[in-house]
Amino acid sequence: MPRIITCFKWVVDQADIRVVPGTDELSLDRVGYRISEYDRNCLEEGARLKEQYGGEVVGLTVGIPGAKKSIKDALSRGPEKAYFVTDPSFSNLEPGQTAAIMAAAISSQIEYDLIICGEGSGDLYAQQVGPRLAEMLGIPCAVFVNKIEIKEKEAIVECKVEDGVEVLALPLPALITVLPDINTPRVPGLKDTLAAGKKPVEEITLQDLNKSFDPYLETLNVRATSMERTCEKMDAGSEGIAKMVAVLTKAGVIS
Amino acid sequence: MIFKLTEEQELIVANMREFAQKYVDPIAVEIDEESRHPAEVMEKLAEDGWMGMPYPAEYGGAGLDFLTYAMVIEELSRSCAATGFTVSCHTGLGAGPIFEYGTEEQKQKYLIPLCKGEKLGGFALTEPGAGTDVAAGSTTAVLDGDEYVLNGTKTFISNGPVGDIFIVVAITDKELSAPKGMSAFIVTKDNPGFRVGEIFKKMGIRSSQTSEIILKDCRVPKEDLLGKVGQGFRIAMQSLDNGRIGVASQALGIAQASLDESIKYSKERIQFNKPIARNQAIQWMIADMVTDIAAARFLTYNAAYLKDQGLPYSKEASMAKLFTAETAMRHSSKAVQIHGGYGYIKGFKVERLMRDAKITEIYEGTSEAQRMVIAANVLR
Ligand SMILES: Cc1cc2nc3c(=O)[nH]c(=O)nc-3n(C[C@H](O)[C@H](O)[C@H](O)COP(=O)(O)OP(=O)(O)OC[C@H]3O[C@@H](n4cnc5c(N)ncnc54)[C@H](O)[C@@H]3O)c2cc1C
């Protein structure tokens, strides 16, 4: 019976991000936070696998102390226990840092057969934490999975690749990142929410890990992209094509 | 907002939002048009534990405080006010009196299946000749051996055609002046002599089922008397105090949905080359909506909070119900105005919201009746 770790991230609700009028700066004054959309599929898959195969499912998140708000929500979606790896310095972590912190926490105290992550996070969407974590733990990894079956000591998974589906057998322990279409996350019932408040939460601090996790990158600025439309119309005839070339040349797109 | 929600309250409200978006929004138009009871949604609500929210776990409930319950009804009503009312009528008026006045046996037998959502509850007080004037009721209950025999017609009973367990108020002593001569009973649809009469077609909350309940020599075991003989009027009035918080929450959901739709539409609708939201006329309507809704929310949460604290809340429940219902009516009408002709067309949510809003000024005490309660409280 598999012991599963489902990983989730507390991210800014994109719908609440505003661009400060007249600038390309982002205003995060009034943003709400939520569990990253992709991680809901991850939590659901953990819950579903447990229903199918038994075993146990725990949740794992890394974040600043404020991310604690995500935990009850996550626990209402399946896991029996949560590990909260936290430090005030854990804001704006790079995927490499997050993966290293998770690897340290998992190696120090969580036993597992399978780790499930979302395909990417709702904020950065770098799609790196899963594969990096697998590499650090030295376990096999399959990404963009839309079906998981567990057979004895193997996970049989279907991965979406460019022109089809790849079926892989991963010896356990292994790590899988899941696609949104792997399942439809359930809406937690009232009783799930109330029960979540009673489930254990283990806090792991930076001190407990006894390591430092340095960034590789330096963020200089975060700015809004803007798309300016000029609404040039041209047809597919030779005149239209000539006009298009002229327009693109003038805009400096081609030369 | 003074009412800072706890993490748990936030999560519960967010879950109801998710529930309503997933299961209620997709069918809200259809059940309104067909006046259909959404049995599939009720089943799911029961399965997920939403049918006995404010009652203790030992009776199959969720043990929530009343404030959280009110917020959940608001959130559900934001998607469909009829479904919100079906739940609040069941919870507040059907199960509420049994929780407050029932014996342990009655709670075991009736409250538990109600809280689990295995049975649907309702409350039968109104009669053709006794609306606001509750004491004018003419349904009678006469003791015959171990059973009471009930005779009379109750009308406009919500959940009537689909409910299982009803609180029925009837006259047990004609000699006493009316309020003192009334008693309350737990009557099930299976009691001999219980019959559903006319099912009414309505302007709004069309998927909520409303009918007559006809009691003809309806036999009710003596053990199903609720509270004491002569307590019926008091039970009814207290239940309505609690029910009014439910109606206020329902109206709040309607008002909030009117605002949601108005903001969305006024930013999208272009006239004179700009979104209509750029016009001060529209902005003022929206500003008034936001302000009234905030005030209505304070009144409603305040009444629920007082109830949670075990403090008197009758006047506050009436104030909440009065103000919130009138807010819902006024602003759902403004929301239609903001939508122009489109707002008058079926399929646009505001058209339904305006029809649904009206009932909140009528049932569980008309706005006039609320003003009577409030005035009586301060002029005594
Ligand atoms: C859809 C729907 C669902 C309902 N569900 C239920 C239910 O589940 N259970 C139940 O028992 N009842 C239910 N009712 C009944 C509802 O509570 C009554 O309709 C309401 O109390 C008003 O009674 P009435 O219709 O007889 O109006 P009336 O009492 O005849 O009132 C008519 C008008 O006169 C006004 N009025 C009356 N008396 C006074 C006074 N003294 N001073 C000033 N104005 C006064 C009223 O405010 C109103 O404007 C429901 C009604 C509807 C329409």
Side-chain angles (χ1 to χ4, degrees), chain B residues 89 123-126 130-133 155-158 202 205 210 359 362-366 368-369 372:
Chain B
C89 176
F123 180 79
L125 178 64
T126 304
T132 305
D133 187 5
T155 194
F156 299 151
I157 305 309
S158 300
K202 305 196 297 296
I205 59 159
T210 317
I359 190 62
I362 296 172
Y363 59 20
E364 303 199 28
T366 60
E368 293 70 36
M372 282 155 60

Side-chain angles (χ1 to χ4, degrees), chain A residues 18 34 40 68-74 76-77 184-197, chain B residues 4 7-8 10-12 15-16 18-19 22-23 44 46 48-50 53 60-64 115-116 267:
Chain A
R18 297 270 173 278
R34 54 185 309 182
R40 292 184 182 221
K68 186 158 194 179
K69 287 191 85 177
S70 65
I71 292 184
K72 232 182 238 176
D73 191 357
S76 72
R77 294 168 194 274
T184 309
R186 70 195 76 184
V187 182
L190 182 52
K191 294 197 169 146
D192 299 320
T193 306
L194 296 173
Chain B
K4 168 106 184 68
E7 213 178 280
E8 190 166 87
E10 267 182 30
L11 204 53
I12 290 170
N15 287 346
M16 177 40 84
E18 216 177 313
F19 180 99
K22 184 164 175 188
Y23 299 109
K44 192 80 187 104
D48 286 359
W50 300 104
M53 285 179 258
L64 292 188
C115 287
K116 287 187 173 166
K267 283 162 82 172

